[in-house]
Amino acid sequence: MEKDYDGSEKRKFKRIVFSAKDKVMGVFTFPKVSDDLISYKIADISAGGLRFIVFRKDDLQISTGDKFFLQEIKGKTKLDVVADIELEVKWVMDHEMFEHIMIGCEFLNISEAVQTQIDQFVEFEQVDQS
C-alpha cells in the first residue's frame, strides 16, 4: 500500500465497475506476444481507459508501458463502438496470493466521439443500477 495515498480521487473520468455476472469481455491483441485474439474479463471502464483481469495460469507477459489493442468489447451492446483502440499498461497489480492479475490501461488513440459514448454509458449505467 502506498504511504502517500490521501484517499482523494485522482481519476479524470467517472468509471463503472462490472460484476462477475455482467460478463463484459474485452477481445485483445498483444502484438509483442502474438497476433491471436485473446479475451479477458473487463473489471471496469471509463472514457480514459479500462482494467481487465488475467488469470495467473494464463501467463500473459505484460508490463507497465506495454502497448496493445482492444479489438472489441462483448457483453454490453452500448459499448460496441469501443473497438480498434490502442492501450498502454499503466499499472499491474500482481500479488502472488491471488489467482488473478489486474491490469490497468489507458486508451491512447480514442476519438472524442467514443469517449463521449463511454461517458454516457457510465452515467446511464450508474443511474440505472440504483
Side-chain angles (χ1 to χ4, degrees), residues 63-124:
S63 303
T64 303
D66 286 353
K67 294 180 182 172
F68 60 100
F69 295 90
L70 172 65
Q71 300 302 327
E72 66 178 308
I73 293 178
K74 295 182 177 185
K76 290 287 183 183
T77 55
K78 293 177 185 172
L79 292 176
D80 286 348
V81 298
V82 186
D84 300 319
I85 297 175
E86 188 174 17
L87 295 164
E88 180 178 349
V89 176
K90 290 299 184 180
W91 55 265
V92 176
M93 186 183 297
D94 182 1
H95 296 289
E96 290 180 19
M97 61 195 255
F98 297 122
E99 64 183 31
H100 60 273
I101 299 165
M102 296 288 203
I103 314 289
C105 308
E106 179 181 6
F107 294 127
L108 294 181
N109 63 339
I110 190 167
S111 71
E112 200 170 309
V114 173
Q115 272 189 324
T116 300
Q117 179 102 9
I118 295 170
D119 265 339
Q120 290 172 349
F121 171 80
V122 169
E123 285 296 325
F124 173 77

Side-chain angles (χ1 to χ4, degrees), residues 4-5 8 11 17 29 43 48 50 53-54 62 69 74-75 83-85 91 93 102 111-112 119 126:
D4 296 337
Y5 181 65
S8 64
R11 294 180 188 276
V17 177
T29 54
L50 59 81
I53 302 168
V54 176
I62 195 163
F69 295 90
K74 295 182 177 185
D84 300 319
I85 297 175
W91 55 265
M93 186 183 297
M102 296 288 203
S111 71
E112 200 170 309
D119 265 339
Q126 296 290 350

Side-chain angles (χ1 to χ4, degrees), residues 21-40:
K21 69 179 179 169
D22 288 324
K23 297 180 183 164
V24 178
M25 302 295 291
V27 179
F28 303 96
T29 54
F30 300 89
K32 191 173 130 179
V33 178
S34 165
D35 289 332
D36 294 340
L37 296 174
I38 305 171
S39 295
Y40 291 112

